[in-house]
Amino acid sequence: MMIKAVFVALILPLAGGVSLAVSALEPHALTQAECGSCHAMQAPRHDLAIDERITRKAPPLYYAGNKFRREWLVSWLQEPVPIRPAGYFPPAHTEQGTEGDVVDQESFAEHPRLAAEDAQKAADYLLTLRPYDDKIDAVKYRPGDISPRMGQLNFSKFNGCSACHRDVPDYGGLSGPELYTAWRRLQPEFIASFITDPVAWDPHTLMPRSELNPGVIKKLADYLKVIGEEQP
C-alpha cells in the first residue's frame, strides 16, 4: 500500500503530507501490484465505455516517460504540491457557490512525500514508461517566444483554455491541471502533441480534440514556456 500512495501523489491535490520510504522490492512488479488499483499502468482498451474514465482514482501513468521532465519529477515527489485545483474527478471535490464551483479542500486526503534518493528511484522508473515514442518523434514543434499579452489572449479569449485551466494561480478553470508550471513538469514535445490530439494519448481524456492548426498550437506551447520560465 505504501508504493500505491506514492504514485497517487503524482497529480492529485493534497491537504498535507507524510514521509515514506520506497520499498526495496523490484519496481515493475511492485508498481503493477500496488499502483494499478488507482493508476492506469497500461493503455485502456478503446472500446471501453466512458465509465472507465469516471471510475479512475488517479491519472494514467503508462506514458509517464513520454510526458514528464525528470528534474521536475524528482523535486515534486519530495515536495508535492497541488496540480489539479479540483482533483482528478472534480465533482467529488467541488460544491456549487454563488459565483461558480468552490473547491472543498477538506475532501482531499493527505499524500506522501519521498526522501531524495527514493524520489530519484521512483522518477527513473516512471521515465522508462514510454509507449508513445512515435508520437513524440512525430512532433515538429520547436520552442520559441511570444509576448505575454498575445499569449494570454490566445490562451484565454481566442481558444477558451481558461474555462478548464489556470495560467495564473488565482484565475481560471478548476477541472483541468494548472498550466503555469506546465513547462517545468512536461516535455515540450508532449505539450504540443497532447494539444494536437489528446484522445490519441488517452481515449477517455476529458480534453477534446482541438482541431487547431500547427501555428496556433505553437503559440499555446510558447505561451506555456513564457509563463513557466517566469515561475520562481
Side-chain angles (χ1 to χ4, degrees):
M1 296 301 293
M2 192 158 47
I3 294 299
K4 176 165 65 179
V6 169
F7 286 89
V8 167
L10 273 171
I11 299 294
L12 298 180
L14 49 142
V18 293
S19 297
L20 295 175
V22 173
S23 169
L25 295 179
E26 195 277 316
H28 176 269
L30 194 62
T31 301
Q32 296 297 331
E34 298 294 334
C35 301
S37 61
C38 291
H39 292 273
M41 305 306 296
Q42 297 179 344
R45 296 197 337 252
H46 284 245
D47 61 342
L48 291 177
I50 192 61
D51 289 352
E52 185 274 332
R53 173 61 176 79
I54 297 173
T55 57
R56 291 182 188 177
K57 298 178 182 178
L61 291 179
Y62 60 87
Y63 54 84
N66 293 125
K67 179 177 181 179
F68 295 113
R69 294 180 186 258
R70 184 183 186 278
E71 182 179 1
W72 178 85
L73 269 178
V74 171
S75 175
W76 195 90
L77 287 169
Q78 295 175 74
E79 295 292 337
V81 295
I83 295 174
R84 293 175 180 264
Y88 193 64
F89 187 60
H93 302 288
T94 56
E95 300 175 349
Q96 184 65 43
T98 57
E99 298 183 3
D101 289 342
V102 177
V103 177
D104 177 12
Q105 297 294 343
E106 294 184 0
S107 67
F108 294 112
E110 291 188 70
H111 293 278
R113 63 192 64 196
L114 299 183
E117 182 178 355
D118 292 335
Q120 292 184 44
K121 291 178 181 178
D124 286 341
Y125 174 72
L126 285 171
L127 293 178
T128 67
L129 306 179
R130 303 179 56 90
Y132 294 145
D133 281 345
D134 58 331
K135 301 185 191 304
I136 296 298
D137 292 341
V139 171
K140 305 299 183 184
Y141 169 71
R142 295 295 179 268
D145 291 308
I146 190 172
S147 73
R149 175 59 177 164
M150 288 304 301
Q152 204 284 325
L153 285 172
N154 192 53
F155 179 88
S156 184
K157 184 176 182 179
F158 300 153
N159 292 295
C161 302
S162 59
C164 297
H165 301 280
R166 294 187 168 193
D167 59 341
V168 292
D170 56 355
Y171 179 79
L174 300 173
S175 59
E178 54 83 356
L179 296 179
Y180 49 87
T181 64
W183 190 260
R184 293 193 173 189
R185 72 174 179 268
L186 304 176
Q187 298 177 32
E189 295 82 6
F190 170 80
I191 292 174
S193 182
F194 193 84
I195 294 174
T196 301
D197 191 355
V199 177
W201 285 84
D202 181 355
H204 292 156
T205 180
L206 297 183
M207 182 168 168
R209 284 192 179 96
S210 61
E211 304 296 337
L212 299 177
N213 66 56
V216 174
I217 292 171
K218 176 173 172 55
K219 289 179 181 178
L220 288 170
D222 286 348
Y223 178 57
L224 297 186
K225 172 180 177 289
V226 168
I227 61 176
E229 291 176 342
E230 293 176 349
Q231 298 302 309

